[in-house]
Amino acid sequence: MYSASAPGKIILFGEHAVVYGRPAIAVPVHDLRAQAVITRLDDAEPNSILIEASDIQISARIEDLGEEDLLRQSVQLILDTLEVNTFPSFELRISSEIPIASGLGSSAAVNVAMLRALALFFERELSLEFQSKLTYQIERLYHGTPSGIDNTVVTYEKPIFFRRGEDPQVIEPGDSMTFLIADTGIASPTGEVVSGVRERWMEEESYYEALFDQISELSLLAKRAISAGHIPVLGPLMNQNQVLLKALGVSSPEIESLVRSAQETGAFGAKLSGAGQGGNVIALIEPSLVGAVTRALQDAGAKHVFRTSASP
Ligand code: PMV
């Protein structure tokens, strides 16, 4: 058996602005992971792949999935890139604890886990940079114009300061950060939300550029605060980022109500994370407030609340 995994992620600052060349900060969520397990099938004909992905009700030979199937295309892209032409048959089992279409990087995590398991099976050592770049190519199949932040943080598994076209910078937090991740329960496909922002940006470019510039300032300030361990300072920056995300048109009443409940219960700050219009809200809190803020988020309609942290 060849087994590999990759974490989910939250975006702390800069989603959407990052698509337009501004910096953003993301943190891996080690407690929620995607896993891929490969088992060799000695009895089957060579070159056949059996895919088992029970989370998305797939149990089929890869050639029976149809040419448009994204999982099939992803596996094919990996095999082509690794220049694998003939191979012993295998079963590829994929599972994930990361909710789909909720801003937690589930597609990037599944693809990185799959790539890592295939690399083990084919005895290839792939650098993190290579894994991230190949996962970016796969992510493009899923949502057209990804910025590249998801594949980067999910591959490096460290807090990342990311700007399109530049090498990612790992941020070493000067102190621990405790987050609650609260699910609105509303699935929100990233591609659709990103396209909506693009349409609005095309109509009012200078207004949207000004919003992206302000978000950029917050990401720069936040990077310094995280490295210095000045965690409470991040709270107001998150709240300001949320105001700007609302102005971009990617918030929703459900998100606003979760953000408000966390803020009113003593969180340092809260905002949506990922594409928005659904998905998840993140709250940065003092660890002693986990119980109180979790209850407040549940009372405000959160379907699930997870705790996670990023430590030095
Ligand atoms: O919804 P997610 O987790 O895929 O995050 C999307 C982040 C965006 O900035 C909205 C898009 C991107 O490609 O960076």
Side-chain angles (χ1 to χ4, degrees):
M1 283 218 304
Y2 304 81
S3 173
S5 72
K9 68 100 222 312
I10 48 179
I11 297 185
L12 292 196
F13 292 94
E15 50 273 271
H16 290 288
V18 70
V19 176
Y20 298 79
R22 298 342 187 257
I25 297 174
V27 170
V29 178
H30 296 291
D31 323 70
L32 293 176
R33 300 188 77 85
Q35 200 181 30
V37 180
I38 294 181
T39 313
R40 200 174 155 137
L41 299 175
D42 286 321
D43 297 340
E45 282 185 16
N47 288 358
S48 106
I49 304 173
L50 187 65
I51 304 242
E52 293 286 343
S54 55
D55 299 334
I56 49 171
Q57 289 85 42
I58 289 183
S59 170
R61 290 186 325 161
I62 201 162
E63 55 270 35
D64 295 335
L65 285 178
E67 288 192 359
E68 297 299 302
D69 185 85
L70 287 174
L71 204 47
R72 175 176 175 172
Q73 291 186 26
S74 310
V75 173
Q76 197 55 55
L77 182 58
I78 296 171
L79 295 181
D80 291 347
T81 309
L82 299 183
E83 297 179 351
V84 171
N85 299 315
T86 54
F87 51 88
S89 294
F90 61 87
E91 178 197 81
L92 171 60
R93 204 157 3 103
I94 298 161
S95 57
S96 174
E97 302 160 347
I98 308 163
I100 294 171
S102 63
L104 296 179
S106 78
S107 67
V110 163
N111 288 317
V112 172
M114 211 159 70
L115 168 58
R116 287 177 173 168
L118 286 164
L120 285 174
F121 185 67
F122 292 113
E123 298 180 346
R124 302 292 170 85
E125 283 221 0
L126 307 179
S127 68
L128 292 177
E129 191 185 352
F130 183 93
Q131 292 178 31
S132 179
K133 287 198 166 139
L134 179 48
T135 307
Y136 178 75
Q137 297 304 327
I138 303 172
E139 287 280 286
R140 290 184 56 162
L141 302 171
Y142 282 75
H143 32 247
T145 55
S147 64
I149 192 168
D150 279 22
N151 50 284
T152 305
V153 64
V154 163
T155 307
Y156 285 80
E157 303 200 28
K158 295 256 167 83
I160 293 284
F161 179 83
F162 177 88
R163 199 197 296 256
R164 238 179 153 154
E166 292 179 7
D167 287 341
Q169 294 174 36
V170 170
I171 310 177
E172 283 298 342
D175 202 352
S176 292
M177 298 180 276
T178 302
F179 298 100
L180 290 176
I181 306 175
D183 191 352
T184 60
I186 300 166
S188 174
T190 302
E192 288 173 22
V193 187
V194 170
S195 303
V197 173
R198 180 151 311 265
E199 278 165 28
R200 295 193 286 281
W201 172 80
M202 288 195 315
E203 276 170 22
E204 265 183 293
E205 192 176 319
S206 59
Y207 173 65
Y208 279 81
E209 286 292 324
L211 294 177
F212 295 144
D213 283 341
Q214 290 179 61
I215 293 173
S216 171
E217 291 300 320
L218 297 176
S219 295
L220 292 166
L221 289 170
K223 180 185 177 218
R224 292 224 301 268
I226 295 170
S227 305
H230 297 155
I231 304 310
V233 170
L234 293 171
L237 301 179
M238 289 171 72
N239 294 338
Q240 288 174 51
N241 196 162
Q242 173 60 23
V243 171
L244 294 165
L245 286 161
K246 189 175 176 196
L248 286 177
V250 298
S251 193
S252 71
E254 294 80 3
I255 291 171
E256 291 299 320
S257 137
L258 294 183
V259 166
R260 213 173 317 116
S261 77
Q263 289 166 341
E264 286 170 358
T265 320
F268 293 130
K271 62 182 274 294
L272 69 85
S273 180
Q277 285 177 1
N280 280 273
V281 161
I282 54 171
L284 176 67
I285 59 166
E286 188 90 70
S288 62
L289 287 181
V290 166
V293 181
T294 299
R295 278 190 298 279
L297 287 164
Q298 285 165 339
D299 289 348
K303 300 294 178 275
H304 305 277
V305 181
F306 307 95
R307 176 192 179 158
T308 191
S309 58
S311 301

